[in-house]
Amino acid sequence: MTAVIMDGVAVSKEVRGRLAARVAALVAKGVRPGLAVMLVGDNPASRVYVRNKVKACAEAGIHSVMDEYPADTSAADVLARIRALNADPSIHGILVQLPLPPHIDVDDVLAAIAPEKDVDGFHVESLGALMAGKPGFQPCTPHGVMEILDHYQVPLAGRNAVVVGRSNIVGKPMALMLLGRDATVTICTSKTRDLAAHTRAADIVVVAVGRPRLLTGDMVKPGAVVVDVGINRDADGKLVGDVDFDSVKEVSGFVTPVPGGVGPMTITMLLANAVTSAERAAAAG
Ligand code: NDP
């Protein structure tokens, strides 16, 4: 059997098409969605991510402001800028690119962002809302995974889902989102004994670990749905996921590729959260 390849580029295009209509409706009411992106330091990968986000905003008709700060900027200056953005009515979303330089406490920075502008969904209030099933902003990567699963009409209720990885930005919110859709969810970590026994019992496997080709075909139930969140370079410098795509695609029913799977959805869901935030602000008058 060869799996259906779940195309994140195509799903992303479709979601962005729907967003364009929502942006147009806001603009007709005199509201242009606005996103502020803050980059502290000179991490080259972060710089690329931030530029891609700003470019995606421009393509979607979202106003964006990009603030670049040197690595030795004080935490107080970063917090002061966040407070100014919290109070700026033209800004509906605030994103601080991670990682931050070590002298800046990431928890303090995330806590300073007004929850109603927390479009990354990393504020504890956003994570709490997700856990309690209340409206808030969902972290973009797992939210993008849900969009892919829905696009391919993957049934979730009553299915066994295994999430490999428990980070606050991917694994844990992913598990909560699947649970919220009535999947029976298992979370595996580096401490899990016999990972393969868990993944082989799963109808849906989401891998978010950061280890090249960790999940191989022999660890997957025939016909299962496999989602690869990982972004890694292998020993040859090739961009690969956490899933051994070649062996898994021969066993699974559906699989996401890397690149071209979950990656494109992350920025798209950031845009979606920014538009949602602008809609909420417009509705609140
Ligand atoms: P973290 O390093 O924060 O978390 C990794 C998780 O994997 C931890 O919970 C860890 O367990 C677990 N783990 C490590 N080794 C194993 C193992 N052998 N078996 C089972 N679990 C294991 O990573 P992130 O969640 O931030 O990112 C995961 C991957 O996803 C990375 O490759 C990252 O680049 C990618 N990513 C991709 C995004 C996208 O847009 N596509 C966005 C965000 C991340 P423990 O907690 O016990 O240490």
Side-chain angles (χ1 to χ4, degrees), residues 99-124:
L100 289 166
H103 68 281
I104 300 180
D105 186 312
V106 64
D107 291 336
D108 288 351
V109 168
L110 295 179
I113 296 171
E116 65 273 18
K117 298 191 179 187
D118 177 38
V119 287
D120 251 342
F122 295 165
H123 194 291
V124 287

CSV table of all heavy atoms in Angstrom, one decimal, residues 99-124:
chain,number,residue,atom,x,y,z
A,99,PRO,N,14.0,31.4,20.0
A,99,PRO,CA,14.4,31.6,21.4
A,99,PRO,C,14.8,33.1,21.6
A,99,PRO,O,15.2,33.8,20.7
A,99,PRO,CB,15.6,30.7,21.6
A,99,PRO,CG,16.2,30.6,20.2
A,99,PRO,CD,15.0,30.7,19.2
A,100,LEU,N,14.8,33.5,22.9
A,100,LEU,CA,15.3,34.8,23.3
A,100,LEU,C,16.7,34.6,23.8
A,100,LEU,O,17.1,33.5,24.3
A,100,LEU,CB,14.4,35.4,24.4
A,100,LEU,CG,13.0,35.8,23.9
A,100,LEU,CD1,12.1,36.0,25.1
A,100,LEU,CD2,13.1,37.1,23.1
A,101,PRO,N,17.5,35.7,23.8
A,101,PRO,CA,18.8,35.6,24.5
A,101,PRO,C,18.7,35.2,25.9
A,101,PRO,O,17.6,35.5,26.6
A,101,PRO,CB,19.3,37.1,24.4
A,101,PRO,CG,18.5,37.7,23.3
A,101,PRO,CD,17.2,37.1,23.3
A,102,PRO,N,19.7,34.5,26.5
A,102,PRO,CA,19.5,33.8,27.8
A,102,PRO,C,19.2,34.8,28.9
A,102,PRO,O,18.6,34.4,29.9
A,102,PRO,CB,20.8,33.1,28.0
A,102,PRO,CG,21.7,33.5,26.8
A,102,PRO,CD,20.9,34.1,25.8
A,103,HIS,N,19.6,36.1,28.8
A,103,HIS,CA,19.4,37.0,29.9
A,103,HIS,C,17.9,37.5,30.0
A,103,HIS,O,17.5,38.2,31.0
A,103,HIS,CB,20.3,38.2,29.9
A,103,HIS,CG,20.0,39.1,28.7
A,103,HIS,ND1,20.4,38.9,27.4
A,103,HIS,CD2,19.3,40.3,28.6
A,103,HIS,CE1,20.0,39.8,26.6
A,103,HIS,NE2,19.4,40.7,27.3
A,104,ILE,N,17.1,37.1,29.0
A,104,ILE,CA,15.7,37.5,29.0
A,104,ILE,C,14.8,36.3,29.4
A,104,ILE,O,14.9,35.3,28.7
A,104,ILE,CB,15.3,38.1,27.7
A,104,ILE,CG1,16.1,39.3,27.4
A,104,ILE,CG2,13.8,38.5,27.7
A,104,ILE,CD1,15.8,40.0,26.1
A,105,ASP,N,14.0,36.4,30.4
A,105,ASP,CA,13.1,35.3,30.9
A,105,ASP,C,11.9,35.2,29.9
A,105,ASP,O,11.1,36.1,29.8
A,105,ASP,CB,12.7,35.6,32.3
A,105,ASP,CG,11.9,34.4,32.9
A,105,ASP,OD1,11.0,33.9,32.2
A,105,ASP,OD2,12.2,34.1,34.0
A,106,VAL,N,11.9,34.0,29.2
A,106,VAL,CA,10.9,33.8,28.2
A,106,VAL,C,9.5,33.9,28.9
A,106,VAL,O,8.5,34.4,28.3
A,106,VAL,CB,11.1,32.6,27.4
A,106,VAL,CG1,11.1,31.3,28.2
A,106,VAL,CG2,10.2,32.4,26.2
A,107,ASP,N,9.3,33.3,30.1
A,107,ASP,CA,8.0,33.3,30.7
A,107,ASP,C,7.5,34.7,31.0
A,107,ASP,O,6.3,35.0,30.8
A,107,ASP,CB,8.0,32.5,32.0
A,107,ASP,CG,8.3,31.0,31.7
A,107,ASP,OD1,7.9,30.5,30.6
A,107,ASP,OD2,8.8,30.3,32.6
A,108,ASP,N,8.4,35.6,31.4
A,108,ASP,CA,8.0,37.0,31.7
A,108,ASP,C,7.5,37.6,30.4
A,108,ASP,O,6.6,38.4,30.4
A,108,ASP,CB,9.2,37.8,32.2
A,108,ASP,CG,9.6,37.4,33.7
A,108,ASP,OD1,8.8,36.6,34.3
A,108,ASP,OD2,10.7,37.8,34.1
A,109,VAL,N,8.3,37.4,29.3
A,109,VAL,CA,7.9,38.0,28.1
A,109,VAL,C,6.5,37.5,27.6
A,109,VAL,O,5.7,38.3,27.2
A,109,VAL,CB,9.0,37.8,27.0
A,109,VAL,CG1,8.6,38.1,25.6
A,109,VAL,CG2,10.3,38.5,27.4
A,110,LEU,N,6.3,36.2,27.6
A,110,LEU,CA,5.1,35.6,27.1
A,110,LEU,C,3.9,36.1,28.0
A,110,LEU,O,2.8,36.4,27.5
A,110,LEU,CB,5.1,34.1,27.1
A,110,LEU,CG,6.1,33.5,26.1
A,110,LEU,CD1,6.1,32.0,26.2
A,110,LEU,CD2,5.9,34.0,24.7
A,111,ALA,N,4.2,36.2,29.3
A,111,ALA,CA,3.1,36.7,30.2
A,111,ALA,C,2.7,38.1,30.0
A,111,ALA,O,1.6,38.6,30.4
A,111,ALA,CB,3.5,36.4,31.7
A,112,ALA,N,3.7,38.9,29.4
A,112,ALA,CA,3.4,40.4,29.3
A,112,ALA,C,2.5,40.6,28.1
A,112,ALA,O,1.9,41.7,28.0
A,112,ALA,CB,4.8,41.1,29.1
A,113,ILE,N,2.4,39.7,27.2
A,113,ILE,CA,1.6,39.9,26.0
A,113,ILE,C,0.1,39.8,26.4
A,113,ILE,O,-0.3,38.9,27.1
A,113,ILE,CB,1.9,38.8,24.9
A,113,ILE,CG1,3.3,39.0,24.4
A,113,ILE,CG2,0.9,38.9,23.7
A,113,ILE,CD1,3.8,37.8,23.5
A,114,ALA,N,-0.7,40.8,26.0
A,114,ALA,CA,-2.1,40.8,26.4
A,114,ALA,C,-2.7,39.5,25.8
A,114,ALA,O,-2.6,39.2,24.6
A,114,ALA,CB,-2.8,42.0,25.8
A,115,PRO,N,-3.5,38.7,26.6
A,115,PRO,CA,-4.0,37.4,26.0
A,115,PRO,C,-4.8,37.6,24.8
A,115,PRO,O,-4.8,36.8,23.9
A,115,PRO,CB,-4.8,36.9,27.2
A,115,PRO,CG,-4.2,37.4,28.4
A,115,PRO,CD,-3.7,38.8,28.0
A,116,GLU,N,-5.5,38.8,24.7
A,116,GLU,CA,-6.4,39.0,23.5
A,116,GLU,C,-5.5,39.3,22.2
A,116,GLU,O,-6.1,39.3,21.1
A,116,GLU,CB,-7.4,40.1,23.7
A,116,GLU,CG,-6.9,41.5,23.9
A,116,GLU,CD,-6.6,41.8,25.4
A,116,GLU,OE1,-6.4,40.8,26.2
A,116,GLU,OE2,-6.4,43.0,25.7
A,117,LYS,N,-4.2,39.4,22.4
A,117,LYS,CA,-3.3,39.6,21.2
A,117,LYS,C,-2.3,38.5,21.1
A,117,LYS,O,-1.4,38.6,20.4
A,117,LYS,CB,-2.6,41.0,21.4
A,117,LYS,CG,-3.6,42.2,21.4
A,117,LYS,CD,-2.9,43.5,21.2
A,117,LYS,CE,-3.9,44.7,21.2
A,117,LYS,NZ,-3.3,46.0,20.9
A,118,ASP,N,-2.5,37.4,21.9
A,118,ASP,CA,-1.5,36.3,22.0
A,118,ASP,C,-1.7,35.4,20.8
A,118,ASP,O,-2.1,34.2,21.0
A,118,ASP,CB,-1.7,35.6,23.3
A,118,ASP,CG,-0.8,34.4,23.4
A,118,ASP,OD1,0.4,34.5,23.0
A,118,ASP,OD2,-1.2,33.4,24.0
A,119,VAL,N,-1.4,35.8,19.6
A,119,VAL,CA,-1.7,35.0,18.4
A,119,VAL,C,-0.8,33.8,18.3
A,119,VAL,O,-1.1,32.9,17.5
A,119,VAL,CB,-1.6,35.9,17.1
A,119,VAL,CG1,-2.8,36.8,17.0
A,119,VAL,CG2,-0.3,36.6,17.0
A,120,ASP,N,0.3,33.7,19.0
A,120,ASP,CA,1.0,32.4,19.0
A,120,ASP,C,0.4,31.4,19.9
A,120,ASP,O,0.7,30.2,19.9
A,120,ASP,CB,2.5,32.7,19.6
A,120,ASP,CG,3.5,32.6,18.4
A,120,ASP,OD1,3.2,32.1,17.4
A,120,ASP,OD2,4.6,33.2,18.7
A,121,GLY,N,-0.5,31.9,20.8
A,121,GLY,CA,-1.1,30.9,21.7
A,121,GLY,C,-0.3,30.3,22.8
A,121,GLY,O,-0.5,29.3,23.4
A,122,PHE,N,0.8,31.1,23.2
A,122,PHE,CA,1.8,30.5,24.2
A,122,PHE,C,1.5,31.1,25.6
A,122,PHE,O,2.1,30.6,26.6
A,122,PHE,CB,3.2,30.9,23.8
A,122,PHE,CG,3.7,30.2,22.5
A,122,PHE,CD1,4.9,30.7,21.9
A,122,PHE,CD2,3.0,29.2,21.9
A,122,PHE,CE1,5.3,30.1,20.7
A,122,PHE,CE2,3.5,28.6,20.8
A,122,PHE,CZ,4.6,29.1,20.2
A,123,HIS,N,0.7,32.1,25.7
A,123,HIS,CA,0.4,32.7,27.1
A,123,HIS,C,-0.3,31.6,27.9
A,123,HIS,O,-1.1,30.8,27.4
A,123,HIS,CB,-0.5,33.9,26.9
A,123,HIS,CG,-0.7,34.7,28.1
A,123,HIS,ND1,-1.3,34.3,29.2
A,123,HIS,CD2,-0.2,36.0,28.4
A,123,HIS,CE1,-1.3,35.3,30.2
A,123,HIS,NE2,-0.6,36.3,29.6
A,124,VAL,N,0.0,31.5,29.2
A,124,VAL,CA,-0.7,30.5,30.0
A,124,VAL,C,-2.2,30.6,30.0
A,124,VAL,O,-2.9,29.6,30.1
A,124,VAL,CB,-0.2,30.5,31.5
A,124,VAL,CG1,1.2,30.0,31.6
A,124,VAL,CG2,-0.3,31.9,32.1
